[in-house]
Amino acid sequence: MGDMTYEGQNYTEALTVRYAADIQKLSKYIHYFENKKGRDVAGDYDGDQGKSSLKFPVYDSTLLAFAKEAGETTLIDPNYIYKYRQYRITTEKAEKEAIQDAKPRDLDLLRAILSRYVLEGRYKSVRWVEATERGIFHDVLQKLVDLYNYAKVK
C-alpha cells in the first residue's frame, strides 16, 4: 500500500511541496507563541484621555503580524467549519487532542483549526487571545513543522 492520496497528491507531496513555503514562513512564530499567555498579547486601551470605558484590546505587533501573514497563506481554509464537523470536534479538549494526535492525513484538520482562529479573530477579537492563551497557534504550527520534517525525510 503506497502513500495515501491528498486531493490527487500524496501527503508527503502536500507537506513538502504545496504547503512547505507557508509552513516554513509561519514556523518563525513558534518561539513567540511558546510561552505567551493572552495577557501578554493584548491589553486594554489606555488613551491620552485616560482609560476608555469601551473595552477593546490592543494587540502586540507580533501577534498582529502573525495573524496577517497566516491569513495570506495557502494554509487558510475559509470552509474550516466542515472539517470540524467531519472530525466531530465540539469541545476545546477534542480540539487540543486532535492537534496532538494529528498525522499527515489530518493536514486539512490542522489547516481548519488554524483557519478558525485566524479568520474568526478578524471580527471576534478574543479568538486571537484565546488561541494564544490555550496554545492553539503554537501547537498547530509545531505539529505542521513536525509533519513537514517527517515527510521530508520519508
Side-chain angles (χ1 to χ4, degrees):
M1 190 168 113
D3 279 337
M4 298 181 82
T5 60
Y6 175 82
E7 294 178 5
Q9 310 175 33
N10 65 40
Y11 296 116
T12 305
E13 191 178 329
L15 282 160
T16 58
V17 179
R18 186 171 180 184
Y19 300 116
D22 287 333
I23 290 170
Q24 289 170 319
K25 187 192 312 183
L26 296 182
S27 71
K28 70 183 177 206
Y29 291 100
I30 290 174
H31 181 70
Y32 167 78
F33 286 118
E34 216 155 25
N35 299 308
K36 284 290 175 193
K37 297 292 175 209
R39 66 184 166 276
D40 296 328
V41 294
D44 291 335
Y45 177 73
D46 193 4
D48 294 337
Q49 308 301 316
K51 203 166 175 94
S52 172
S53 60
L54 294 174
K55 289 285 183 196
F56 59 95
V58 179
Y59 296 106
D60 114 1
S61 61
T62 307
L63 178 59
L64 290 173
F66 166 76
K68 182 180 188 315
E69 205 167 336
E72 294 169 352
T73 68
T74 57
L75 294 167
I76 296 299
D77 175 9
N79 298 315
Y80 63 87
I81 200 72
Y82 296 112
K83 282 293 164 197
Y84 271 80
R85 285 189 190 131
Q86 182 186 334
Y87 280 80
R88 293 186 175 88
I89 295 175
T90 56
T91 65
E92 290 181 358
K93 184 176 186 276
E95 188 179 64
K96 199 80 165 159
E97 288 170 356
I99 297 167
Q100 290 165 351
D101 299 341
K103 305 285 184 269
R105 70 176 178 267
D106 303 314
L107 179 58
D108 278 341
L109 176 63
L110 293 172
R111 292 178 54 227
I113 294 169
L114 178 67
S115 300
R116 174 186 179 203
Y117 288 94
V118 168
L119 296 175
E120 288 183 13
R122 292 177 178 173
Y123 60 86
K124 198 185 284 184
S125 59
V126 70
R127 280 288 185 248
W128 290 341
V129 174
E130 183 186 335
T132 302
E133 221 167 56
R134 292 183 40 231
I136 298 292
F137 287 146
H138 173 269
D139 294 353
V140 168
L141 293 176
Q142 188 62 63
K143 182 59 84 165
L144 286 169
V145 168
D146 292 347
L147 293 177
Y148 166 77
N149 288 333
Y150 173 77
K152 220 169 49 170
V153 297
K154 211 169 166 207

